[in-house]
Amino acid sequence: MFLLRSFIYLLFLASVAYLIQLEGFALKQQALYSEHTLTEHMQEGFTLLSCVLFCYASRINAQLKIAALLLATLSALMFVREFDSYLDLYVFDGAWQSIVYAILALTAGYLIRHRGTVYSSLTAYARTPSYGICLSGVVTLLAFSRIMGKGEFWHSVMGENYMRVVKNIIEEGIETLGYALIFIAAVELVLLCRKAVTQQHTALTEL
C-alpha cells in the first residue's frame, strides 16, 4: 500500500510541476507568473483543501485535535493571504488583515481555554509521518522560497539581462511546492486518523 501511495504522490507533484509550466508554454515571453494565474490559483486551492482536511482530522481524533486545529488555522491564514487581492478589491482595502487578526484572536482564545492539552497534542503530532512532511512544506514555503526569490540574487546572476519573470517562476514554483507538501501532510494526517478510528471501532466490536 505504501508503494502505491508513494507513486500517487510522485504523480501528484509531477503534475503540479507540469501545471506550473503551462503558463510558460502557453504565453511564452508574455508569461508573468503574477496574480490571477494558474500557479496562484493552485496555491489558493491547496491552502483551502489543507484547511478543510486538517479541520476534519481534528473532529475525528481527540488526541490530535489541538494540533490539527492549529494546522487548519495556519492553512486558513495562508489562504487569506493568497486571496488578499480579491478581498481588497471586492470587500474593502485591508480586508485580509482584518480576517487574519480575527482568526488569530479566535485561535488564541481557544488555546487559552484548552492550554492543558496543547503540548501533549503537539507532541503526539510530532510522532506522526505527517509532521515531517508538513514541516518540510512550511520551511520550503516560508524560508527557502523567500531566500531563492531575493531580487538581489537574481540581479547579481543576470546583471543587465535581469528578467523579473525568472525570479517569479522560481519563487512561485517553490511556494507551490511548499503548499503541495502541506496538502500531502493534511492527507496523511486524515488517513492516520481514519485508521485509528477504524482500529478503535474494530476493537470495540470484538469485545
Side-chain angles (χ1 to χ4, degrees):
M1 182 63 182
F2 75 93
L3 289 177
L4 176 60
R5 191 183 303 177
S6 299
F7 183 66
I8 291 173
Y9 289 151
L10 173 63
L11 289 180
F12 169 66
L13 291 177
S15 299
V16 170
Y18 177 74
L19 290 173
I20 292 172
Q21 294 177 354
L22 274 183
E23 182 182 354
F25 286 134
L27 300 179
K28 296 181 172 56
Q29 285 76 22
Q30 281 70 49
L32 298 177
Y33 286 88
S34 56
E35 299 283 346
H36 315 300
T37 63
L38 177 59
T39 301
E40 190 76 18
H41 295 327
M42 279 198 296
Q43 295 174 4
E44 296 163 358
F46 287 150
T47 53
L48 180 59
L49 290 173
S50 297
C51 182
V52 171
L53 289 174
F54 284 131
C55 284
Y56 176 67
S58 74
R59 291 178 61 85
I60 62 176
N61 191 298
Q63 185 181 29
L64 297 172
K65 182 180 180 65
I66 300 294
L69 283 176
L70 286 175
L71 292 171
T73 299
L74 177 63
S75 299
L77 294 176
M78 291 176 177
F79 175 74
V80 172
R81 180 64 184 87
E82 291 297 331
F83 219 64
D84 60 344
S85 60
Y86 292 94
L87 292 171
D88 288 342
L89 180 62
Y90 296 108
V91 184
F92 61 86
D93 187 33
W96 74 271
Q97 292 100 326
S98 300
I99 296 174
V100 164
Y101 293 144
I103 293 174
L104 289 174
L106 290 172
T107 303
Y110 183 85
L111 291 177
I112 291 172
R113 290 196 303 273
H114 299 84
R115 54 186 176 275
T117 59
V118 173
Y119 180 76
S120 60
S121 183
L122 292 176
T123 301
Y125 178 67
R127 299 193 187 102
T128 68
S130 173
Y131 170 76
I133 302 172
C134 188
L135 182 61
S136 298
V138 171
V139 171
T140 298
L141 175 66
L142 300 181
F144 193 78
S145 68
R146 297 294 182 267
I147 295 172
M148 290 302 298
K150 290 181 66 176
E152 297 89 340
F153 170 70
W154 293 104
H155 276 290
S156 176
V157 170
M158 290 186 281
E160 296 180 356
N161 298 317
Y162 171 77
M163 292 184 292
R164 182 176 177 82
V165 66
V166 174
K167 183 191 86 71
N168 288 348
I169 292 171
I170 298 298
E171 185 173 8
E172 295 298 327
I174 295 175
E175 279 189 17
T176 307
L177 172 61
Y179 284 125
L181 290 173
I182 294 172
F183 171 70
I184 291 175
V187 172
E188 283 292 307
L189 184 59
V190 167
L191 292 175
L192 177 69
C193 292
R194 290 290 303 171
K195 183 178 179 180
V197 169
T198 302
Q199 291 175 341
Q200 184 179 21
H201 183 267
T202 301
L204 291 174
T205 304
E206 292 175 350
L207 292 177

